Amino acid sequence: MSEPAKDGLLGHNRVRTLLALAVPAVLIGVVSALVLFALDELSRLLQHLIWDNLPAAVGVDPDGGWWIFGTLTLTGLAVGLIVRYAPGHAGPDSAVSELGGAALPVGVVPSLAAVAVLGLAGGVSLGPENPIIAINTALLTVLIGRSFTRVPARLIVGLTVAGTVGALFGTPVAAALLFTGMAGTLKTGGALFDRLFLPLVSAGAGAVTMTLFGGTLLRIELPPMGSPDGWDVLAGFVIAPLAAAFGLLGVAVFAQVHRWFHRLGNPVLFTTLGGALLGLLGVAGGTITLFKGAEESAELLQHRGDEPAWALVYLAVVKLAALVISAAAGFRGGRIFPAVFIGVAAGLAVSAVVPAVPVSLAVAAAVLGLVLAVARDGWMALFIAVVITGDVTVTAVLCLALLPAWLVVTNAPHMLAAEEAHA
């Protein structure tokens, strides 16, 4: 066993230090979940106003083409005005940044929260993970930094990511898997679980808090698969890499689409144009292809068997195009939730074509491939694929299916644009 690091954050008395740091870790997890819950509830209220109350008040069908097109175009205009003129300019473009990173100035939070809520409510095909992590990091770096002056800023950022991920998915397991690959960057010394201890505390506090306030954002139910056999393993080996390859079609054009939008220079122009294009895609695919995709994924699964395979493939194509445009046109948001919808649609299409493949396996393997392609994190992709099935028997098959899918994506570009292209 290696000796304790003398200059690490934990020092000689790891137990005492971990217990002391657990207090701010719990606070970080709780606050992260509360901010996520508030932002999600605000976006739901605004979405209800835009897509239910207003159309009813004026006697318009919210599923009609003009309402969809007009709403997305105006959403793009509103986001562009905030990005161009509001203090903080809604922070950095989500297209050029990974999850986490350095804390933003707290003055950026109001404009970033505004564009995140507008995008979620207006139907933009992005999830809340990027902006909510940035918002929580900015707020908690100030709050914890002032209240617990001996906690390093870098540790606060890491614990905020953990707490927010735990709240997003309702379990600290997601954060644990994510931080297994990141733990080496935390200079805490000691064993791996010493480094995971505080992120797990924060993620657990975030997950419990979010559960108490109504649950996670990803609520999908699939029938149990049962005991897998050799054919199931073969199916996973085929579906996951094919789904990853499909996702890479969007990844391959992402940087070029981002450059094309940003050549317009003014965010008011390119986000409005992006909103208009999203409106056209919404007209083509229907309202089920709008929004972040969590509730829409559950709706697809609830009515599985009602759509033919070609229609499900069509929905997946429309949503992938919407994801690329949403992320490239200056909107702020994450790609995981839309990728889940695309995977659900693709998996249901496979199940419709090959009924012998259990629907749980087909959907989970397709989600695994899509999330892997757009997020490039094997642990996160595997976790989400397992979570949506709610069936541990499929885990072994998915672990094997991850391997050929990773070979497909490992040399492909990431879904990120060059920072110098950002206007």
Side-chain angles (χ1 to χ4, degrees), residues 158-172:
L159 296 182
T160 302
V161 174
T164 308
V165 170
L168 279 166
F169 300 109
T171 171

Side-chain angles (χ1 to χ4, degrees), residues 33-34 79 84 95 97 105 108 110 131 176 189 201 216 222 224 242 275 345 354 365 380 406 414 419-420:
L34 291 176
V79 169
R84 178 66 180 86
S97 57
V108 174
V201 170
T216 67
L222 283 166
L242 286 179
V354 189
M380 182 64 71
W406 181 257
H414 287 233
E419 194 155 358
E420 60 268 21

Side-chain angles (χ1 to χ4, degrees), residues 31 46 54 93 115 136 161-162 187 200 206 219 238 296 311 354 385 391-392:
V31 173
L46 185 58
L54 285 179
D93 188 352
V115 297
N136 281 340
V161 174
K187 298 185 182 300
L200 279 171
R219 305 174 185 175
V238 173
E296 292 71 28
V354 189
D391 184 4
V392 295

Side-chain angles (χ1 to χ4, degrees), residues 241-301:
L242 286 179
F246 176 65
L248 288 179
L249 295 177
V251 175
V253 301
F254 177 72
Q256 180 60 41
V257 174
H258 183 269
R259 284 193 295 270
W260 184 77
F261 274 114
H262 285 70
R263 282 174 185 163
L264 297 176
N266 192 325
V268 179
L269 296 178
F270 58 71
T271 57
T272 302
L273 175 60
L277 293 175
L278 291 175
L280 293 175
L281 287 171
V283 173
T287 54
I288 197 169
T289 60
L290 304 181
F291 308 105
K292 62 179 177 287
E295 292 84 0
E296 292 71 28
S297 296
E299 182 180 344
L300 269 185
L301 290 168

Side-chain angles (χ1 to χ4, degrees), residues 293-359:
E295 292 84 0
E296 292 71 28
S297 296
E299 182 180 344
L300 269 185
L301 290 168
Q302 184 179 359
H303 299 285
R304 61 181 179 274
D306 295 348
E307 299 282 355
W310 69 264
L312 293 164
V313 172
Y314 176 74
L315 292 179
V317 170
V318 170
K319 190 67 172 182
L320 180 61
L323 170 58
V324 170
I325 291 173
S326 298
F331 295 98
R332 305 305 196 249
R335 301 112 190 215
I336 292 176
F337 287 91
V340 170
F341 177 91
I342 300 167
V344 168
L348 290 175
V350 170
S351 183
V353 172
V354 189
V357 177
V359 65

Side-chain angles (χ1 to χ4, degrees), residues 25-301:
V26 169
L27 181 60
I28 288 171
V30 171
V31 173
S32 296
L34 291 176
V35 175
L36 170 62
F37 177 78
L39 185 144
D40 186 59
E41 284 300 302
L42 183 58
S43 66
R44 286 178 187 273
L45 291 174
L46 185 58
Q47 178 180 333
H48 184 65
L49 174 66
I50 293 172
W51 295 93
D52 296 319
N53 292 348
L54 285 179
V58 298
V60 174
D61 180 10
D63 294 329
W66 285 112
W67 188 267
I68 294 174
F69 177 78
T71 298
L72 267 297
T73 303
L74 290 176
T75 298
L77 174 62
V79 169
L81 290 171
I82 294 172
V83 171
R84 178 66 180 86
Y85 296 108
H89 305 287
D93 188 352
S94 299
V96 302
S97 57
E98 298 272 13
L99 289 175
L104 298 175
V106 74
V108 174
V109 169
S111 58
L112 178 56
V115 297
V117 169
L118 283 172
L120 290 169
V124 176
S125 291
L126 291 174
E129 58 272 23
N130 286 58
I132 193 60
I133 287 175
I135 290 169
N136 281 340
T137 300
L139 294 175
L140 285 163
T141 298
V142 174
L143 175 64
I144 301 298
R146 291 177 178 175
S147 303
F148 301 87
T149 56
R150 299 188 66 179
V151 180
R154 190 176 184 182
L155 181 60
I156 295 174
V157 171
L159 296 182
T160 302
V161 174
T164 308
V165 170
L168 279 166
F169 300 109
T171 171
V173 176
L177 292 174
L178 182 64
F179 271 79
T180 298
M182 299 171 59
T185 65
L186 298 176
K187 298 185 182 300
T188 54
L192 174 62
F193 207 81
D194 279 338
R195 303 176 186 184
L196 291 177
F197 183 88
L198 294 172
L200 279 171
V201 170
S202 181
V208 170
T209 302
M210 195 67 179
T211 300
L212 292 175
F213 275 82
T216 67
L217 304 188
L218 193 61
R219 305 174 185 175
I220 296 177
E221 294 183 1
L222 283 166
M225 189 183 79
S227 300
D229 57 26
W231 291 110
D232 294 328
V233 174
L234 178 61
F237 263 71
V238 173
I239 297 169
L242 286 179
F246 176 65
L248 288 179
L249 295 177
V251 175
V253 301
F254 177 72
Q256 180 60 41
V257 174
H258 183 269
R259 284 193 295 270
W260 184 77
F261 274 114
H262 285 70
R263 282 174 185 163
L264 297 176
N266 192 325
V268 179
L269 296 178
F270 58 71
T271 57
T272 302
L273 175 60
L277 293 175
L278 291 175
L280 293 175
L281 287 171
V283 173
T287 54
I288 197 169
T289 60
L290 304 181
F291 308 105
K292 62 179 177 287
E295 292 84 0
E296 292 71 28
S297 296
E299 182 180 344
L300 269 185
L301 290 168

